[in-house]
Amino acid sequence: MTIRVLLVDDQPLLRTGFRFILEAEQDVTVVGEAGDGSTAMDQARALLPDVVLMDIRMPGMDGIEATRRIVREAAPSAHVPRVLVLTTFDLDEYIVEALRAGASGFLLKDVPPDELLQAIRVVAAGDAIVAPSVTRRLLDRFASHLPTAHQQATPARLDRLTERELEVLRLIAKGLSNAEIARELVVSETTVKTHVGNVLTKLALRDRVQAVVLAYETGLITPGALP
């Protein structure tokens, strides 16, 4: 199966570089390009990409609003493009908004080619991905709003989770993969996948990226909790 990718960035040179990397792979093809959010919407509607590689800061409609509209417009249909957002360290204020808009993951613009390709494949398969450094900065952003250890209590929304599911949610929020969680808890990766599925279902979350945001917003993890 070939993964159809739409490139969205206002810098033509970056789009050319991404196209060169992606089209060297047999299972990935670039079906179109856009330099702003409005064009990205039109292209997504016409070309039906599997993954939209989305820049945030662009002239006219930015990547956040474009993500929101692309996901919302496609939601009733059987084909919903997955949006993989590219960011830089000076765009932290946009991260949470883009996740809420429906993005399935975040990568830094200087990501190595092999990690970019892996992320596209992960997102196309229906999963979500956040670069570890972005996870770290998300935690830093929320640190001042999180309760201290003696104030910590399980938020009411999380009461429906078992203790093991809460533990899995904490590890997801720390940026651990399923394999890493399995090693941490000394269980099989299949068991971890089951727990992750239960967490997403019980909390009515779309994917593990939304789980990360929820863990920060509810104060489930505290500053300095990352390994």
Side-chain angles (χ1 to χ4, degrees):
M1 177 179 175
T2 300
I3 302 171
R4 298 165 54 83
V5 178
L6 172 63
L7 300 177
V8 184
D9 196 295
D10 64 336
Q11 300 183 47
L13 187 59
L14 277 178
R15 296 201 306 269
T16 299
F18 287 137
R19 178 183 284 273
F20 179 79
I21 292 170
L22 300 184
E23 293 197 331
E25 302 297 307
Q26 292 185 346
D27 62 334
V28 179
T29 184
V30 176
V31 295
E33 298 183 15
D36 59 77
S38 180
T39 304
M41 284 185 57
D42 294 338
Q43 294 279 57
R45 190 182 301 118
L47 301 174
L48 300 178
D50 300 305
V51 176
V52 179
L53 201 59
M54 179 77 75
D55 186 22
I56 291 183
R57 186 176 292 177
M58 296 180 291
M61 184 187 298
D62 64 19
I64 295 175
E65 183 60 24
T67 296
R68 182 179 294 111
R69 295 191 185 189
I70 288 172
V71 173
R72 183 175 59 196
E73 181 177 298
S77 68
H79 184 86
V80 180
R82 308 282 288 186
V83 180
L84 182 59
V85 172
L86 295 174
T87 185
T88 56
F89 281 147
D90 63 343
L91 296 180
D92 292 341
E93 67 271 23
Y94 297 111
I95 294 177
V96 175
E97 287 304 312
L99 292 176
R100 286 174 175 157
S104 295
F106 264 92
L107 289 179
L108 300 180
K109 279 195 172 182
D110 60 355
V111 62
D114 58 334
E115 293 183 20
L116 172 63
L117 290 163
Q118 177 62 18
I120 288 173
R121 293 178 178 118
V122 167
V123 168
D127 209 335
I129 191 167
V130 179
S133 52
V134 176
T135 301
R136 169 73 262 178
R137 295 181 70 81
L138 273 172
L139 181 57
D140 290 341
R141 176 180 174 84
F142 280 99
S144 62
H145 304 292
L146 298 178
T148 60
H150 71 274
Q151 295 172 324
Q152 188 70 22
T154 301
R157 183 177 178 185
L158 304 182
D159 284 346
R160 67 197 71 175
L161 301 182
T162 66
E163 284 300 319
R164 178 46 63 93
E165 288 165 355
L166 275 172
E167 192 172 10
V168 169
L169 178 55
R170 289 190 185 97
L171 294 175
I172 290 173
K174 292 178 183 180
L176 273 64
S177 66
N178 285 351
E180 290 168 335
I181 294 174
R183 289 195 294 270
E184 178 77 14
L185 301 181
V186 195
V187 298
S188 70
E189 191 168 346
T190 299
T191 299
V192 172
K193 290 180 180 179
T194 299
H195 287 316
V196 171
N198 290 340
V199 168
L200 299 183
T201 299
K202 290 182 178 181
L203 299 180
L205 301 173
R206 184 183 65 249
D207 51 42
R208 63 195 297 141
V209 173
Q210 288 192 335
V212 171
V213 174
L214 177 65
Y216 293 157
E217 291 182 329
T218 58
L220 182 64
I221 55 175
T222 57
L226 283 184

